[in-house]
PDB file of all heavy atoms in Angstrom:
ATOM      1  N   PRO A 173     -47.584 -22.157  13.746  1.00  0.00           N
ATOM      2  CA  PRO A 173     -46.809 -22.904  12.748  1.00  0.00           C
ATOM      3  C   PRO A 173     -46.144 -24.139  13.356  1.00  0.00           C
ATOM      4  O   PRO A 173     -45.693 -24.105  14.499  1.00  0.00           O
ATOM      5  CB  PRO A 173     -45.740 -21.899  12.294  1.00  0.00           C
ATOM      6  CG  PRO A 173     -46.221 -20.568  12.748  1.00  0.00           C
ATOM      7  CD  PRO A 173     -47.071 -20.805  13.950  1.00  0.00           C
ATOM      8  N   LEU A 174     -46.071 -25.190  12.563  1.00  0.00           N
ATOM      9  CA  LEU A 174     -45.371 -26.398  13.006  1.00  0.00           C
ATOM     10  C   LEU A 174     -43.901 -26.299  12.604  1.00  0.00           C
ATOM     11  O   LEU A 174     -43.561 -25.723  11.576  1.00  0.00           O
ATOM     12  CB  LEU A 174     -46.001 -27.635  12.353  1.00  0.00           C
ATOM     13  CG  LEU A 174     -47.385 -28.016  12.876  1.00  0.00           C
ATOM     14  CD1 LEU A 174     -48.101 -28.940  11.898  1.00  0.00           C
ATOM     15  CD2 LEU A 174     -47.281 -28.677  14.250  1.00  0.00           C
ATOM     16  N   GLN A 175     -43.056 -26.885  13.446  1.00  0.00           N
ATOM     17  CA  GLN A 175     -41.632 -26.928  13.110  1.00  0.00           C
ATOM     18  C   GLN A 175     -41.077 -28.313  13.389  1.00  0.00           C
ATOM     19  O   GLN A 175     -41.693 -29.100  14.109  1.00  0.00           O
ATOM     20  CB  GLN A 175     -40.870 -25.852  13.896  1.00  0.00           C
ATOM     21  CG  GLN A 175     -40.980 -25.970  15.398  1.00  0.00           C
ATOM     22  CD  GLN A 175     -40.384 -24.749  16.117  1.00  0.00           C
ATOM     23  OE1 GLN A 175     -40.824 -23.613  15.925  1.00  0.00           O
ATOM     24  NE2 GLN A 175     -39.361 -24.993  16.925  1.00  0.00           N
ATOM     25  N   ALA A 176     -39.916 -28.593  12.813  1.00  0.00           N
ATOM     26  CA  ALA A 176     -39.323 -29.926  12.952  1.00  0.00           C
ATOM     27  C   ALA A 176     -38.834 -30.148  14.383  1.00  0.00           C
ATOM     28  O   ALA A 176     -38.360 -29.229  15.039  1.00  0.00           O
ATOM     29  CB  ALA A 176     -38.160 -30.082  11.979  1.00  0.00           C
ATOM     30  N   THR A 177     -38.967 -31.381  14.870  1.00  0.00           N
ATOM     31  CA  THR A 177     -38.418 -31.712  16.185  1.00  0.00           C
ATOM     32  C   THR A 177     -36.898 -31.885  16.054  1.00  0.00           C
ATOM     33  O   THR A 177     -36.420 -32.452  15.072  1.00  0.00           O
ATOM     34  CB  THR A 177     -39.016 -33.020  16.724  1.00  0.00           C
ATOM     35  OG1 THR A 177     -38.813 -34.066  15.760  1.00  0.00           O
ATOM     36  CG2 THR A 177     -40.503 -32.887  16.969  1.00  0.00           C
ATOM     37  N   PRO A 178     -36.142 -31.408  17.050  1.00  0.00           N
ATOM     38  CA  PRO A 178     -34.674 -31.479  16.979  1.00  0.00           C
ATOM     39  C   PRO A 178     -34.154 -32.916  16.911  1.00  0.00           C
ATOM     40  O   PRO A 178     -33.105 -33.167  16.319  1.00  0.00           O
ATOM     41  CB  PRO A 178     -34.219 -30.806  18.277  1.00  0.00           C
ATOM     42  CG  PRO A 178     -35.389 -30.035  18.770  1.00  0.00           C
ATOM     43  CD  PRO A 178     -36.610 -30.735  18.264  1.00  0.00           C
ATOM     44  N   ASP A 179     -34.893 -33.854  17.519  1.00  0.00           N
ATOM     45  CA  ASP A 179     -34.427 -35.244  17.550  1.00  0.00           C
ATOM     46  C   ASP A 179     -35.051 -36.093  16.444  1.00  0.00           C
ATOM     47  O   ASP A 179     -34.830 -37.305  16.383  1.00  0.00           O
ATOM     48  CB  ASP A 179     -34.702 -35.866  18.920  1.00  0.00           C
ATOM     49  CG  ASP A 179     -36.189 -35.828  19.279  1.00  0.00           C
ATOM     50  OD1 ASP A 179     -36.991 -35.403  18.425  1.00  0.00           O
ATOM     51  OD2 ASP A 179     -36.535 -36.212  20.410  1.00  0.00           O
ATOM     52  N   ALA A 180     -35.849 -35.452  15.593  1.00  0.00           N
ATOM     53  CA  ALA A 180     -36.481 -36.130  14.456  1.00  0.00           C
ATOM     54  C   ALA A 180     -37.480 -37.206  14.870  1.00  0.00           C
ATOM     55  O   ALA A 180     -37.993 -37.945  14.025  1.00  0.00           O
ATOM     56  CB  ALA A 180     -35.435 -36.732  13.502  1.00  0.00           C
ATOM     57  N   ALA A 181     -37.769 -37.293  16.153  1.00  0.00           N
ATOM     58  CA  ALA A 181     -38.791 -38.235  16.621  1.00  0.00           C
ATOM     59  C   ALA A 181     -40.165 -37.562  16.527  1.00  0.00           C
ATOM     60  O   ALA A 181     -40.250 -36.346  16.335  1.00  0.00           O
ATOM     61  CB  ALA A 181     -38.505 -38.657  18.055  1.00  0.00           C
ATOM     62  N   ALA A 182     -41.212 -38.359  16.654  1.00  0.00           N
ATOM     63  CA  ALA A 182     -42.571 -37.828  16.594  1.00  0.00           C
ATOM     64  C   ALA A 182     -42.733 -36.678  17.578  1.00  0.00           C
ATOM     65  O   ALA A 182     -42.201 -36.717  18.689  1.00  0.00           O
ATOM     66  CB  ALA A 182     -43.573 -38.932  16.897  1.00  0.00           C
ATOM     67  N   GLY A 183     -43.476 -35.657  17.159  1.00  0.00           N
ATOM     68  CA  GLY A 183     -43.642 -34.479  18.001  1.00  0.00           C
ATOM     69  C   GLY A 183     -44.357 -34.764  19.306  1.00  0.00           C
ATOM     70  O   GLY A 183     -44.102 -34.129  20.318  1.00  0.00           O
TER      71      GLY A 183
END
Side-chain angles (χ1 to χ4, degrees):
Chain A
L174 288 162
Q175 59 189 60
T177 55
D179 58 5

